[in-house]
Amino acid sequence: MTTTRIVVVDDQDVVRAAFEVLLATQPDFAVVGSAAEGEQAVRICRQVRPDVVLMDIRMPGMDGIEATRRLLTDPEPPRVLMLTTFDLDEHVYDALGAGASGFLLKDATAERLFDAVRVVAAGEALLAPTVTRRLVAEFARMRVRRREPDPALRALTARETEVLRLIAEGLSNPEIAARLVVGEETVKSHVSRMLAKLGLRDRTQAVVVAYESGLVVPGDR
């Protein structure tokens, strides 16, 4: 069994301890560190090299967004799962843009927490792409952004662009395969090439790029 190494970051001692206790109940998890603020989190993560970081967004001093941004400059960065109290926290969009793999509400059930960590550790976007899509679309709608095509998108083939658009719509690989009438392995290949060409780490970042570039417009279906 592969063990996922986890660091928990939250400025509230009770919340941090609760996550640590829950995660310790799983045989495939190992909590290898914890921190109460961003600067400490970056230092600890660089020492213990976790696979996944549960990162609170709002903390005194260095917040979770800046800590995430710094960690993801490392040669082999961890996956970051942002913790938030609010479903539409205004900072979550920035966190996803900084490279976080997804977000999780602090009042999530234990099973949802376990599933989220496993999904993120496996290199996928967090659990429910439709939730991430809704959140990104909401903040893309609220903010005035230039709607110019990202030059990097020109490197994509027509099929890769289509796959990116469907990912941004919240479709999973099997759903994309059914929509395009191709095999799931073919979709996985398209996704891998698309992420590589755009220099992205996972599907969540792809959703952000799709909205930021205007490839997908909030409200479109």
Side-chain angles (χ1 to χ4, degrees), residues 33-98:
S34 65
E37 53 85 28
E39 189 171 355
Q40 182 186 26
V42 172
R43 185 171 63 253
I44 289 174
C45 286
R46 286 174 174 168
Q47 290 172 350
V48 302
R49 307 294 293 271
D51 301 303
V52 175
V53 181
L54 293 184
M55 179 81 75
D56 189 14
I57 290 183
R58 301 167 182 261
M59 296 180 289
M62 183 188 296
D63 64 16
I65 297 171
E66 179 59 25
T68 297
R69 190 174 289 116
R70 294 194 185 189
L71 283 174
L72 293 184
T73 64
D74 292 348
E76 296 183 7
R79 301 281 175 176
V80 178
L81 180 55
M82 303 303 302
L83 298 172
T84 179
T85 305
F86 309 105
D87 191 7
L88 284 177
D89 187 327
E90 64 185 28
H91 297 294
V92 169
Y93 185 88
D94 292 324
L96 295 176

Side-chain angles (χ1 to χ4, degrees), residues 13-220:
D13 293 343
V14 173
V15 173
R16 196 167 64 250
F19 276 116
E20 291 180 30
V21 169
L22 283 174
L23 293 167
T25 66
Q26 301 303 291
D28 56 329
F29 293 165
V31 178
V32 295
S34 65
E37 53 85 28
E39 189 171 355
Q40 182 186 26
V42 172
R43 185 171 63 253
I44 289 174
C45 286
R46 286 174 174 168
Q47 290 172 350
V48 302
R49 307 294 293 271
D51 301 303
V52 175
V53 181
L54 293 184
M55 179 81 75
D56 189 14
I57 290 183
R58 301 167 182 261
M59 296 180 289
M62 183 188 296
D63 64 16
I65 297 171
E66 179 59 25
T68 297
R69 190 174 289 116
R70 294 194 185 189
L71 283 174
L72 293 184
T73 64
D74 292 348
E76 296 183 7
R79 301 281 175 176
V80 178
L81 180 55
M82 303 303 302
L83 298 172
T84 179
T85 305
F86 309 105
D87 191 7
L88 284 177
D89 187 327
E90 64 185 28
H91 297 294
V92 169
Y93 185 88
D94 292 324
L96 295 176
S101 292
F103 76 100
L104 184 71
L105 294 175
K106 290 187 180 181
D107 62 357
T109 64
E111 287 307 315
R112 185 173 294 274
L113 167 65
F114 303 152
D115 287 344
V117 171
R118 291 184 179 111
V119 168
V120 169
E124 299 293 335
L126 172 60
L127 212 53
T130 54
V131 174
T132 299
R133 177 175 62 84
R134 178 172 59 81
L135 183 142
V136 172
E138 180 67 21
F139 287 107
R141 184 182 295 111
M142 290 168 60
R143 299 181 182 200
V144 177
R145 295 189 177 276
R146 59 182 176 83
R147 290 295 176 186
E148 300 175 3
D150 187 330
L153 295 180
R154 297 172 189 161
L156 302 182
T157 65
R159 180 48 60 94
E160 289 164 356
T161 301
E162 189 173 14
V163 167
L164 173 57
R165 185 180 288 109
L166 294 175
I167 287 174
E169 290 179 10
L171 274 64
S172 65
N173 282 356
E175 290 169 333
I176 294 173
R179 178 78 64 89
L180 300 180
V181 196
V182 297
E184 191 173 341
E185 288 302 317
T186 299
V187 173
K188 289 180 180 178
S189 296
H190 286 315
V191 172
S192 296
R193 286 196 294 268
M194 177 269 293
L195 293 177
K197 287 181 179 181
L198 297 180
L200 305 176
R201 298 181 67 235
D202 57 35
R203 298 165 72 98
T204 304
Q205 286 187 306
V207 174
V208 173
V209 167
Y211 278 99
E212 289 279 355
S213 67
L215 181 64
V216 175
V217 177
D220 281 359

